Amino acid sequence: MSEVLDIVINAVTNYWGWIVSEITFSYDYKPWYQNYFWGLTVLSLVVWGLEIAFPWRKNQPVVRKDFWLDAFYMYFNFFIFGLVVTGVYAIIEHTAGLFGVTITSLSFFNFTALPAWAQILIFFVLNDFVQWFTHVLLHRYEILWRFHKVHHSVQEMGFAAHLRYHWMENVFYKPLKTLAVMLVGGFEPEQAFFIHFVAITIGHLNHANVRITWGPLKYVFNNSVMHLFHHMKDLPKGQMPGVNFGISLSTWDYIFRTNYIPQSEDGSYELGFDDIDEFPVHNFWKQLVYGFKK
């Protein structure tokens, strides 16, 4: 018991130290541009500026409905939740190690010998597919959908809605992402920070009040037009359990025929889901426990 407690305390202490070092730049093991806290903050301000300068829905307020709640979710899901759960992950990793299970145990491929750019590309595509697949599951199964409703309770779309999601989604995503990494040699490119910031930027733009289609690249990259229709309250018949599940890449939706872009793209669609009136749309604490209730 003492060993388990030490593992938890050590994990939480290290994670807290990491958060403090990110906020204060009190580290000397990486360059300033790999700072996750301030990187998220700067990217958010830049995309918010684009919303203000080039609004798609011009009647939507700059500080839209639930803007500050969504902003809190950004930092909660990226930093505070990690502080709470890091001890649990440390125990799981320690227990797996006792049974000889490591990050390379299920390795079928080893990409570490590839050039850095190839490692980054493979890691990005693999990671995005796992997230797309998990996203489909979140819509398909009621037990998962109850938690995913938090993200779909957004009624006015803006960049900060990107990271408005229930902490249980981290629990759902992580095992599949870890398994995928294990299958390809357990590698994470040294430049993984680059993938992180690219994904955050695309995700922010997908939710932003800015009309983006990427032109011919729409078949590769997700965009705000596609993702707005993903959040539509009333989807056409035959389009359930949902459409446009792409995270960073739209490619998976075109491959698996879950893409949907109607002719009208004025952006004035009602968002949400059928029973949204019964959902605690504006209350963070009630949203945390909603998915656990029958």
Side-chain angles (χ1 to χ4, degrees):
M1 185 64 184
S2 176
E3 183 181 8
V4 171
L5 186 60
D6 287 342
I7 291 173
V8 172
I9 292 175
N10 186 58
V12 172
T13 301
N14 289 339
Y15 193 89
W16 173 249
W18 175 77
I19 292 177
V20 172
S21 71
E22 290 289 298
I23 296 173
T24 62
F25 283 99
S26 55
Y27 53 76
D28 56 9
Y29 57 88
K30 64 181 182 180
W32 63 269
Y33 53 80
Q34 293 185 26
N35 187 294
Y36 289 95
F37 180 87
W38 290 109
L40 172 63
T41 302
V42 171
L43 282 173
S44 298
L45 291 174
V46 169
V47 177
W48 192 17
L50 291 175
E51 286 189 345
I52 296 171
F54 310 103
W56 181 9
R57 296 169 292 279
K58 298 189 179 350
N59 61 339
Q60 182 172 301
V62 172
V63 181
R64 60 177 176 75
K65 194 180 299 181
D66 290 331
F67 174 87
W68 297 113
L69 175 61
D70 292 348
F72 172 75
Y73 261 112
M74 284 201 306
Y75 293 94
F76 174 82
N77 280 321
F78 260 53
F79 300 99
I80 302 174
F81 173 76
L83 184 64
V84 173
V85 80
T86 188
V88 176
Y89 288 152
I91 293 173
I92 293 174
E93 184 178 350
H94 175 74
T95 303
L98 294 177
F99 290 94
V101 179
T102 67
I103 197 68
T104 59
S105 295
L106 302 178
S107 175
F108 286 120
F109 308 100
N110 187 349
F111 293 109
T112 56
L114 295 176
W117 66 266
Q119 293 185 37
I120 293 174
L121 181 61
I122 293 170
F123 190 79
F124 176 69
V125 172
L126 177 65
N127 191 53
D128 191 75
F129 175 75
V130 170
Q131 291 185 77
W132 177 87
F133 179 71
T134 309
H135 193 187
V136 173
L137 298 181
L138 290 173
H139 280 260
R140 190 171 296 277
Y141 295 101
E142 176 62 27
I143 191 172
L144 304 181
W145 168 242
R146 290 205 302 264
F147 296 106
H148 193 50
K149 277 183 174 181
V150 170
H151 184 64
H152 280 265
S153 64
V154 174
Q155 294 177 297
E156 288 183 340
M157 190 67 78
F159 77 93
H162 171 206
L163 298 175
R164 174 179 180 155
Y165 59 84
H166 196 282
W167 60 267
M168 277 294 289
E169 290 198 26
N170 284 320
V171 176
F172 299 143
Y173 276 108
K174 191 172 181 67
L176 287 175
K177 289 169 72 174
T178 301
L179 176 61
V181 170
M182 291 176 72
L183 291 175
V184 294
F187 87 104
E188 181 170 318
E190 186 179 342
Q191 300 83 1
F193 73 91
F194 177 75
I195 299 172
H196 170 81
F197 287 128
V198 167
I200 291 296
T201 302
I202 294 175
H204 272 22
L205 291 174
N206 290 344
H207 292 81
N209 184 24
V210 181
R211 188 181 181 280
I212 299 172
T213 64
W214 301 127
L217 291 178
K218 68 181 181 180
Y219 299 109
V220 179
F221 296 109
N222 197 7
N223 55 75
S224 60
V225 172
M226 284 191 76
H227 201 69
L228 184 70
F229 296 132
H230 174 74
H231 279 262
M232 281 176 59
K233 181 177 181 180
D234 298 313
L235 285 171
K237 186 177 180 181
Q239 296 292 345
M240 296 303 288
V243 296
N244 302 345
F245 298 102
I247 306 300
S248 293
L249 303 177
S250 61
T251 309
W252 315 118
D253 285 312
Y254 286 105
I255 291 174
F256 295 101
R257 297 192 167 187
T258 52
N259 61 295
Y260 173 73
I261 302 181
Q263 293 301 313
S264 176
E265 298 179 5
D266 63 359
S268 57
Y269 296 96
E270 186 178 5
L271 309 181
F273 42 85
D274 288 341
D275 56 346
I276 195 169
D277 293 337
E278 302 171 10
F279 188 85
V281 174
H282 312 298
N283 192 306
F284 172 78
W285 299 107
K286 288 183 178 179
Q287 289 176 15
L288 286 189
V289 300
Y290 177 88
F292 296 103
K293 297 179 180 179
K294 291 185 179 180

